[in-house]
Amino acid sequence: MPNNKNRMRVIILIIVVLVIALLAISIANKNSTTESRNNGSQDKASGTKSSQQPIEGAVSADSPSNTIATQWQWPRDRDQHDLDATAAEDESLPFTEQSVYDSLQAVKVDENGNIILDHDALISLDEALERIHNRLDSESLLKLQDIIRDALPGKTGEQTAQVVEDYQRFLGAQEEFSQMHQGSVSNVQTLNSLDNDQALYRELQNLREIHLGTESTASLFHDSDANAEFMFDSLRLGLEQHLTPEEIESRRREIQQRLQQQLAEETK
């Protein structure tokens, strides 16, 4: 997607092609499900906001049984004055309650109310913040967090609001990182340039940990990092001149198997 390409292309040209492709496929699948759900709601809508909102507790046949979508509590008890005031306020913000729900609905929640930080959560955070993070100041970020806390009472809302704040800070830092390293990526791939690209990627990983914490970073970017490692290893293998075709094929299989094992760990 365009925003993802702008975000990552100055960091490492080859890695971005892989990571963005994976994100694009996941987002496309998610958006397809969301669009289908929203179209169904609109067909039944009577013109009011409440009629367009997803039915509380409704779960599609192929959805996880416990996600933010199933936990979200719509404010059905507001009177018309409150709804009008909220709508007027929404016009000045780069998000609405509906858009926040649409972005975050796929984030999974465990039986204790803790949000599960995985690749789906990463995609959801990107959908929620990447296009608007430059338009969020401290006040509008607080309003965004208030929407989340009001709709998700308890630890689920608190955890979601916190990771949204952390990810917003990370996106700002990542943008500065990208600007700082413009021109650092070589168009000619060599072992030396690959070492440089890999070092830049490690710097980006460290930046994530600063703003998101080590544990959250490992969970959110598990798939992205596994695919990045796969691409670095594959590129490095392609630059090895002393290997026989048989050795190259054997190493290629090892690299592929390692990626499959790493991705399988995330699904357990």
Side-chain angles (χ1 to χ4, degrees):
M1 298 183 73
N3 285 333
N4 286 348
K5 291 177 182 176
N6 290 334
R7 183 185 68 178
M8 295 295 292
R9 64 186 177 187
V10 297
I11 301 173
I12 174 168
L13 295 177
I14 301 299
I15 292 300
V16 70
V17 173
L18 175 68
V19 175
I20 296 307
L22 292 172
L23 289 178
I25 292 171
S26 299
I27 291 172
N29 291 337
K30 179 180 176 183
N31 283 347
S32 176
T33 302
T34 301
E35 182 178 356
S36 176
R37 184 191 300 112
N38 289 343
N39 287 341
S41 298
Q42 290 171 0
D43 290 340
K44 299 177 182 179
S46 62
T48 62
K49 179 179 179 182
S50 61
S51 65
Q52 296 177 12
Q53 294 171 350
I55 299 174
E56 183 176 347
V59 184
S60 63
D62 58 350
S63 295
S65 60
N66 201 17
T67 65
I68 280 181
T70 64
Q71 299 294 309
W72 196 273
Q73 298 182 15
W74 292 97
R76 300 180 184 277
D77 56 346
R78 288 182 186 170
D79 59 31
Q80 190 59 48
H81 178 271
D82 290 334
L83 290 173
D84 291 341
T86 299
E89 182 179 38
D90 285 349
E91 292 179 359
S92 66
L93 298 171
F95 56 83
T96 64
E97 184 172 10
Q98 184 71 48
S99 72
V100 175
Y101 167 86
D102 289 342
S103 299
L104 299 176
Q105 60 176 305
V107 176
K108 294 183 280 292
V109 182
D110 70 17
E111 60 184 7
N112 297 315
N114 300 299
I115 61 171
I116 298 174
L117 298 181
D118 57 8
H119 190 64
D120 287 339
L122 175 62
I123 293 172
S124 295
L125 289 168
D126 273 333
E127 288 189 357
L129 294 170
E130 190 171 21
R131 289 185 294 271
I132 68 171
H133 80 95
N134 285 325
R135 300 162 59 192
L136 289 178
D137 54 20
S138 57
E139 182 178 354
S140 56
L141 178 59
L142 285 175
K143 290 179 180 178
L144 173 58
Q145 291 179 289
D146 285 342
I147 286 177
I148 294 170
R149 292 189 178 100
D150 288 345
L152 299 168
K155 70 166 66 174
T156 304
E158 289 298 329
Q159 291 178 6
T160 305
Q162 184 61 56
V163 75
V164 163
E165 179 182 351
D166 294 343
Y167 201 75
Q168 165 69 7
R169 288 200 308 267
F170 164 66
L171 287 177
Q174 180 180 247
E175 188 171 296
E176 294 179 5
F177 178 87
S178 298
Q179 293 171 354
M180 182 186 311
H181 292 285
Q182 282 182 355
S184 298
V185 178
S186 174
N187 292 325
V188 179
Q189 201 70 61
T190 66
L191 288 174
N192 286 337
S193 68
L194 189 59
D195 288 340
N196 178 66
D197 294 344
Q198 199 161 7
L200 283 177
Y201 193 80
R202 284 194 295 268
E203 287 186 41
L204 179 61
Q205 290 175 309
N206 292 335
L207 190 66
R208 296 171 187 162
E209 294 186 6
I210 291 173
H211 294 279
L212 296 166
T214 301
E215 185 175 345
S216 294
T217 296
S219 299
L220 285 169
F221 292 93
H222 177 275
D223 286 10
S224 298
D225 286 342
N227 281 291
E229 180 182 342
F230 168 78
M231 183 57 72
F232 280 124
D233 289 343
S234 297
L235 290 172
R236 193 174 298 280
L237 180 60
L239 294 172
E240 296 287 355
Q241 302 294 325
H242 64 282
L243 298 177
T244 66
E246 292 77 14
E247 289 173 328
I248 290 176
E249 181 59 29
S250 176
R251 292 272 290 276
R252 196 182 306 280
R253 285 197 300 268
E254 291 176 3
I255 293 170
Q256 182 65 45
Q257 289 174 357
R258 182 163 61 249
L259 172 64
Q260 293 174 347
Q261 291 172 353
Q262 290 174 327
L263 294 179
E265 291 172 0
E266 178 69 9
T267 62
K268 292 180 179 179

